[in-house]
């Protein structure tokens, strides 16, 4: 792009360049033509044309979560903007930085009932940190900077800008320049809170750590792991926190979040103090870990927790997570703390379930076998995106994660169909890593059109579809709560031919031994591959029965 700008659309792109934006995901429409053309003309930003605006928002969502830089999605007004809403809300509830930009009707008719007029700001405001309309060219630089500043603040999330059609075309004063991002320093914890937290920890009998997404988001995994291993404290993570302590660590318990009492819950049953690090309430219901509201809680995060009677922090340390853990370590001294004696047993139970699954050759494949084969195919820093449904439960609770942000779910909103478009964003963010989208057949058919995007844009993509012909998680919950299920079964296309129709490769697993070689082959190749794998979801109810009967002597 040239440095001179002639209208708001071109100037906005200059502002995006100043923010370091590398990709804009979206679809052009009549009312945002100038903006899309300006993005396309940029030599710093690549426009990724998608097949549905929902996919664009999911791409921006996952790109923001992985990089820490706001992902950007765009659409036209009315229905296009409405389609951006789901991924925008997902980013907000999962604290991922995202900036959504859409067109709006011109100022000459924005105030009255007219074609495609929707109050878009009112629609986006409940699911963003900030939503506003650019009414004048002079406000463009400030509003773009504010959108990114709020999206990338201590608690990241989504923001939204509407650009009226006539404003987009208005000239910009030649003296107006983009505002540059500022460097933000890390906040240190208060000494008094640190010493009080150290005293609580020293006086506790069975402290346990709950680690959330904030640890990954703040790049504090190393500090958390060092603290937990030095003081011999067991660590359970939320679904969003998977990998913030490697599952290879002897202190790693696994994840909290399964719909029934899982192995990790037993450590919390016995704990008298929870050291909560980087945890947000929407990640996991506090009542599930503190049902009697009787445990001491130390909250460490970059912002205060929301209000919940089962999560009333005795001490809140609101500061940089790494600095807080380092300061807490200095206050505690070198001696280890009381540890939870069941840690090894909990780890053993989880590993036994995965090992048994890996040796199971039955067909259709059991979920445990599929998870074990996925783990065998992926490297330490490769990225798995587990879609919402029964898959989310199996992958989140069993898949060993060895680094943060390598096993991704939609958790705050738990929306279906994010993982296929999200995998495209993950490959763009980290082209050197293998990326695998793991989806049920229900969620796959919601956004499968983005296979064409991957083929056209030459973004390598591997999708593993668990095939059972139903909305498996809802069937599972119906069976648990009602003793039967209905209105959850559907038909499917021939997934191999379906993939081939897009110019992609298709593969149907016919026996258990075929899955791992198929995964290895697909992940090693460029291009796009869809692997359809029949799954035996009778294991769902078998797991509920097993966990319901399980007791551990602590």
């Amino acid at each position: 792009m040239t440095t001179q700008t002639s209208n708001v659309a071109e100037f906005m792109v200059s502002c995006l360049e100043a923010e370091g934006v590398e990709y804009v995901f979206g679809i052009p429409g009549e009312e945002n033509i100038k903006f899309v053309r300006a993005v396309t003309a940029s030599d710093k930003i690549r426009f990724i044309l998608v097949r549905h605006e929902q996919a664009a928002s999911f791409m921006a969502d996952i790109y923001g979560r992985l990089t820490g830089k706001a992902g950007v999605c765009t659409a036209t007004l009315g229905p296009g903007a409405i389609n951006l809403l789901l991924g925008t809300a997902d980013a907000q509830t999962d604290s991922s930085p995202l900036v959504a930009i859409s067109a709006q009707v011109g100022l000459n008719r924005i105030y009255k009932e007219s074609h495609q007029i929707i109050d878009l700001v009112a629609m986006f405001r409940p699911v963003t940190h900030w939503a506003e309309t650019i009414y004048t060219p002079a406000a463009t630089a400030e509003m773009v900077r504010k959108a990114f500043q709020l999206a990338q603040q201590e608690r990241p999330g989504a923001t939204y800008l509407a650009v009226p059609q006539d404003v987009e075309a208005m000239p910009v004063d030649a003296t107006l320049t983009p505002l540059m991002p500022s460097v933000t320093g890390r906040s240190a914890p208060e000494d008094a809170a640190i010493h009080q937290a150290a005293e609580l920890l020293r006086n506790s009998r069975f402290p346990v750590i709950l680690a959330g997404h904030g640890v990954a988001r703040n790049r504090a995994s190393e500090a958390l792991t060092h603290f937990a291993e030095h003081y011999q404290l067991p660590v359970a993570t939320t679904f969003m926190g998977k990998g913030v302590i490697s599952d290879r660590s002897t202190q790693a318990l696994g994840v909290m979040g399964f719909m029934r009492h899982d192995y990790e819950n037993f450590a919390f049953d016995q704990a008298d103090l929870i050291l909560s690090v980087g945890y947000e309430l929407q990640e996991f219901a506090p009542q599930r870990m503190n049902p009697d509201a009787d445990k001491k809680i130390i909250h460490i995060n970059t912002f205060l927790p929301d209000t919940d009677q089962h999560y009333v922090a005795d001490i809140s340390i609101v500061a940089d997570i790494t600095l807080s853990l380092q300061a807490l370590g200095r206050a505690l001294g070198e001696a280890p703390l009381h540890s939870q004696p069941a840690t090894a047993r909990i780890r053993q139970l989880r590993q036994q379930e995965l090992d048994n699954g890996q040796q199971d050759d039955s067909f259709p494949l059991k979920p445990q076998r599929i998870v074990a084969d996925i783990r065998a195919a992926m490297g330490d820093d490769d990225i798995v995106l587990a879609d919402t449904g029964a898959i989310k439960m199996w992958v989140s609770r069993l898949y060993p994660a060895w680094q943060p942000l390598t096993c991704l779910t939609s958790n705050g909103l738990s929306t279906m169909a994010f993982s296929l478009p999200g995998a495209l964003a993950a490959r763009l963010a980290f082209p050197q890593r293998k990326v695998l989208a793991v989806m049920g057949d229900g969620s796959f058919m919601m956004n499968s059109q983005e296979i064409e995007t991957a083929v056209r844009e030459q973004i390598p993509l591997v999708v593993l579809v668990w095939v059972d012909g139903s909305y498996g998680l809802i069937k599972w919950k119906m069976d648990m709560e009602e003793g039967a299920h209905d209105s959850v079964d559907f038909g499917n296309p021939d997934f191999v031919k379906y993939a081939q129709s897009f110019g992609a490769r298709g593969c149907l697993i016919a026996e258990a031994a075929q899955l791992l070689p198929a995964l290895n082959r697909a992940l090693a190749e460029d291009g796009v591959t869809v692997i359809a794998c029949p799954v035996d979801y009778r294991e769902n109810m078998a797991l509920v029965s097993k966990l319901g009967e399980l007791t551990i002597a602590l």
Side-chain angles (χ1 to χ4, degrees):
M1 284 208 48
T2 61
T3 55
Q4 294 185 358
T5 57
S6 59
N7 58 38
V8 167
E10 292 172 346
F11 183 68
M12 282 189 72
V13 173
S14 297
C15 293
L16 297 185
E17 291 175 343
E19 297 289 344
V21 173
E22 296 178 297
Y23 302 97
V24 172
F25 309 97
I27 297 178
E30 293 180 47
E31 295 79 13
N32 67 340
I33 288 173
K34 288 181 173 55
F35 176 71
V36 171
R37 284 181 59 82
V39 172
T40 305
S42 169
D43 57 7
K44 296 180 180 179
I45 303 174
R46 178 179 171 185
F47 184 77
I48 303 294
L49 174 67
V50 301
R51 301 304 301 270
H52 195 288
E53 294 91 351
Q54 181 188 109
S57 63
F58 284 139
M59 291 177 190
D61 175 12
I62 295 302
Y63 184 87
R65 191 191 309 185
L66 287 172
T67 65
K69 300 183 298 183
V72 180
C73 54
T74 192
T76 189
L77 78 178
I82 292 170
N83 286 342
L84 289 180
L85 194 64
L86 184 56
T88 301
D90 192 62
Q92 179 73 1
T93 54
D94 279 341
S95 298
S96 300
L98 176 149
V99 174
I101 301 170
S102 86
Q104 180 55 294
V105 302
L107 297 179
N108 61 328
R109 62 187 181 94
I110 198 171
Y111 58 88
K112 62 184 177 181
E113 183 177 329
S114 59
H115 182 62
Q116 291 190 303
I117 179 67
I118 292 287
D119 189 344
L120 295 173
V121 167
M123 183 180 73
F124 276 90
R125 189 165 283 150
V127 296
T128 58
H129 285 320
W130 180 66
E132 196 49 82
T133 300
I134 298 178
Y135 287 107
T136 174
T140 305
E142 292 178 347
M143 294 183 74
V144 172
R145 177 80 278 273
K146 182 174 181 177
F148 279 84
Q149 179 178 310
L150 293 177
Q152 297 169 164
Q153 63 183 328
E154 290 285 3
R155 184 174 188 172
T159 57
Y160 167 74
L161 289 174
V163 186
Q165 184 179 9
D166 49 3
V167 172
E168 180 189 61
M170 288 179 181
V172 174
D173 191 297
T175 62
L176 196 64
T177 59
L179 300 180
M180 302 302 294
S182 58
V183 177
T184 303
R186 298 194 297 170
S187 55
E190 293 185 2
D191 289 342
I194 289 293
H195 287 292
Q196 290 174 29
E199 184 178 1
L200 267 186
L201 277 167
R202 281 285 176 212
N203 291 332
S204 65
R205 291 182 62 250
F206 292 134
V208 62
I209 296 175
L210 176 68
H213 180 217
V215 178
R217 192 173 60 240
N218 289 276
R219 308 306 194 252
S221 295
E222 184 178 347
L224 172 71
T225 300
H226 175 78
F227 185 89
E229 292 183 346
H230 181 86
Y231 294 106
Q232 295 294 290
L233 293 176
V235 182
T237 75
T238 63
F239 285 4
M240 295 281 290
K242 275 184 71 69
V244 296
I245 183 169
S246 170
D247 279 313
R248 293 189 177 111
S249 172
T250 56
Q251 300 310 121
L253 296 175
V255 299
M256 300 283 281
F258 184 60
M259 55 185 133
R260 290 290 177 91
H261 222 62
D262 209 345
Y263 308 133
E264 299 76 19
N265 293 81
F266 291 100
F268 284 77
D269 292 343
Q270 297 300 312
D272 61 341
L273 182 146
I274 299 171
L275 176 57
S276 167
V277 185
Y279 160 76
E280 302 170 29
L281 264 65
Q282 77 269 25
E283 293 185 73
F284 179 67
Q287 188 173 6
R288 302 268 302 283
M289 61 181 171
N290 189 19
D292 298 322
D294 58 349
K295 302 182 191 302
K296 298 289 186 182
I297 294 175
I298 300 171
H299 173 88
I300 299 178
N301 210 338
T302 55
F303 51 88
L304 285 170
D306 200 354
T307 303
D308 189 291
Q309 63 180 351
H310 295 273
Y311 192 85
V312 178
D314 295 84
I315 299 169
S316 288
I317 300 172
V318 181
D320 178 84
I321 293 174
T322 294
L323 295 180
S324 298
L325 290 172
Q326 290 171 345
L328 188 55
R330 289 192 295 270
L332 284 169
E334 292 298 316
L337 299 170
H338 296 289
S339 61
Q340 172 59 258
T343 304
R345 177 62 175 148
I346 291 170
R347 287 177 52 79
Q348 180 186 34
L349 285 166
R350 188 163 59 102
Q351 190 60 46
Q352 282 177 349
E353 185 179 343
L354 192 60
D355 291 343
N356 292 339
Q358 191 168 25
Q359 300 164 14
D360 192 318
D361 291 330
S362 59
F363 186 84
L365 280 74
K366 290 194 169 62
Q368 298 94 323
R369 172 61 185 265
I370 303 177
V371 173
D373 282 359
I374 293 171
R375 179 67 275 177
M378 306 295 281
D380 283 22
D381 65 350
D382 294 335
I383 300 170
V384 171
L385 297 93
D387 218 289
T388 299
I391 278 177
K392 177 181 173 180
M393 295 299 169
W394 285 107
V395 174
S396 293
R397 62 182 298 275
L398 280 186
Y399 183 82
W402 298 325
Q403 291 188 23
L405 297 173
T406 56
C407 184
L408 307 183
T409 63
S410 167
N411 199 59
L413 197 60
S414 289
T415 179
M416 295 176 69
F418 85 94
S419 62
L420 194 162
L424 299 183
R427 279 306 300 253
L428 292 172
F430 297 107
Q432 74 280 13
R433 299 190 193 182
K434 300 175 190 173
V435 177
L436 178 66
V438 185
M439 315 181 75
D441 42 8
S443 57
F444 174 70
M445 292 305 295
M446 292 182 179
N447 264 327
S448 59
Q449 74 281 345
E450 300 309 324
I451 294 172
E452 191 278 331
T453 302
V455 171
R456 169 174 33 83
E457 295 287 343
Q458 298 183 334
I459 305 171
L461 172 68
V462 181
V463 184
L464 176 60
V465 184
W466 296 24
V467 181
D468 73 318
S470 72
Y471 293 111
L473 181 62
I474 306 306
K475 178 185 288 188
W476 189 354
K477 291 197 172 185
M478 281 185 177
D479 287 341
M480 281 195 300
E481 297 179 15
E482 306 295 330
H485 59 263
D486 54 58
S487 304
V488 291
D489 298 312
F490 49 73
N492 280 314
D494 181 324
F495 287 119
V496 172
K497 292 181 180 178
Y498 187 71
Q500 291 171 344
S501 72
F502 288 104
R505 292 180 291 266
C507 173
L508 177 63
I509 302 302
E511 60 180 52
Q514 293 179 350
L515 178 57
L516 183 55
L519 283 169
N520 285 332
R521 185 168 55 252
L523 290 164
E525 295 173 335
D526 287 331
V528 180
T529 302
V530 176
I531 302 172
C533 181
V535 58
D536 182 1
Y537 272 144
R538 290 178 298 177
E539 284 296 292
N540 293 350
M541 292 305 294
L543 175 64
V544 171
S545 298
K546 175 184 176 182
L547 293 177
E549 297 167 0
L550 182 64
T551 58
I552 302 178
L554 297 178

